[in-house]
Amino acid sequence: MINIISEDIKSLTKTINAGYFKGKKILIFGGTGIIGQYFLIFFLSLRLKKSISKITIIIKNDLPNYLKFINKNNKVKIIKCNISKYNFSKIDKYDVIIFSGGYGQPSKFLKNSLETIEINTSVLMKFFSKLKKNGKFLYISSSEVYNGNNKKKITENDIGFTNTNDPRSSYIESKRCGETIVNIFAKKYNIDAKSIRLSLAYGPGVKKDDGRVLNEFITRSIKNKILYVMDSGDAIRRYIYIADAIGMMINILIFGKKNIYNVAGKEKTSISSIAKKIGKILQIKVNFKKKSSLKGSPKDTSLSINRYESEFGKTKLTSLDKGLNKTINWYQSL
């Protein structure tokens, strides 16, 4: 299974200028999430070339079986804990900190609303105390900060209009506050800290029980040999394959000139189109209900990545068809 991720990383390392990381100590909070896993394997690939001094991952749950090989790597340290209760005095200082932990699945942040807020605010501030002088900090925010904004093309200068009674407000408002905290540390203490408004990254590395729409479609399709879509599927999305997102984030981490960046796909599609593509790949029937999209979920998440491309040039992204095939292969191997 790890080979699926490793193949993506092998291609990625050919296009990324990773010289900055030589001799650096790296800390990844959320090491078993889809983002954390790809960052981990990327840094491990550099480690094989003796580039990185040390990699530490902070996780809440056990390592998946396909990652247990890192237990034998003496350059990787694993901290398994509930981060909200952990004693930060036990954590070393690092050259690079990637804050990708917390609850990203709606089913989980709705269930753990107060902890979601705590992680993106008070816990986030503690991590800044573990950054070395002249280090780099990357905070993974979310496109959900734009929830309620109906502009056709949303830039980093825009923001959403979510009511605090919204069922997703604990996640949305905590991510906004997290970005504010990152901006304050960057300006007040002259820290190289950036926020990534990530929109719908998908691909290998997701857990079997991930309840987000695309992943749920795949698991139900494999299990039931038929896919029932619970609404009309008219919501618009721009998914981005995880390896592409990681490549963009690494460039931003090292070279980015701004404090906030959208990281999103270019290929505009509907939920119904995604369902049909999955059905075609797996050769199963897809049935839709006629009611409108599920309450609380955004109708359109079309983010502009012009800021990124103005700095790093036009970006060639993995097609949705190719990315879905890789993701389905991942789930089948699970």
Side-chain angles (χ1 to χ4, degrees), residues 104-248:
Q105 298 178 45
S107 61
K108 293 190 175 181
F109 65 65
L110 291 171
K111 183 180 179 181
N112 302 279
S113 54
L114 290 177
E115 190 176 356
T116 295
I117 294 170
E118 183 180 13
I119 289 171
N120 285 296
T121 55
S122 59
V123 171
L124 172 62
M125 285 190 277
K126 292 178 182 178
F127 272 94
F128 277 99
S129 68
K130 299 302 171 182
L131 187 67
K132 287 185 177 181
K133 186 178 180 180
N134 299 320
K136 294 181 181 291
F137 196 104
L138 195 69
Y139 174 65
I140 311 302
S141 183
S142 169
S143 62
E144 293 231 14
V145 300
Y146 297 123
N147 200 318
N149 190 318
N150 296 319
K151 285 181 65 175
K152 288 185 177 180
K153 210 165 191 180
I154 300 175
T155 73
E156 292 85 351
N157 293 325
D158 298 311
I159 201 64
F161 310 98
T162 305
N163 193 294
T164 52
N165 284 325
D166 188 287
R168 304 162 92 94
S169 62
S170 63
Y171 182 73
I172 296 166
E173 300 303 333
S174 66
K175 286 298 185 182
R176 285 180 184 159
C177 190
E179 289 186 15
T180 303
I181 290 167
V182 171
N183 293 340
I184 291 170
F185 272 93
K187 294 171 183 175
K188 188 173 182 178
Y189 301 105
N190 196 28
I191 292 173
D192 187 351
K194 304 180 182 81
S195 296
I196 303 295
R197 291 175 177 169
L198 181 62
S199 180
L200 301 171
Y202 75 99
V206 290
K207 297 180 175 65
K208 188 182 278 189
D209 63 347
D210 191 308
R212 283 169 280 201
V213 172
L214 186 149
N215 303 315
E216 183 69 16
F217 281 179
I218 294 174
T219 53
R220 292 209 313 259
S221 298
I222 293 172
K223 180 180 178 180
N224 302 325
K225 310 301 181 185
I226 189 170
L227 176 56
Y228 292 101
V229 181
M230 303 310 291
D231 63 12
S232 60
D234 57 349
I236 301 299
R237 298 289 182 266
R238 293 195 190 197
Y239 281 92
I240 182 167
Y241 188 64
I242 181 61
D244 297 331
I246 295 296
M248 291 173 70

Side-chain angles (χ1 to χ4, degrees), residues 240-272:
I240 182 167
Y241 188 64
I242 181 61
D244 297 331
I246 295 296
M248 291 173 70
M249 288 191 277
I250 291 170
N251 279 334
I252 291 166
L253 173 68
I254 303 173
F255 305 110
K257 299 174 183 177
K258 303 289 186 180
N259 62 329
I260 296 173
Y261 289 84
N262 288 337
V263 171
K266 297 180 181 180
E267 193 175 349
K268 195 171 184 177
T269 188
S270 66
I271 295 297
S272 61

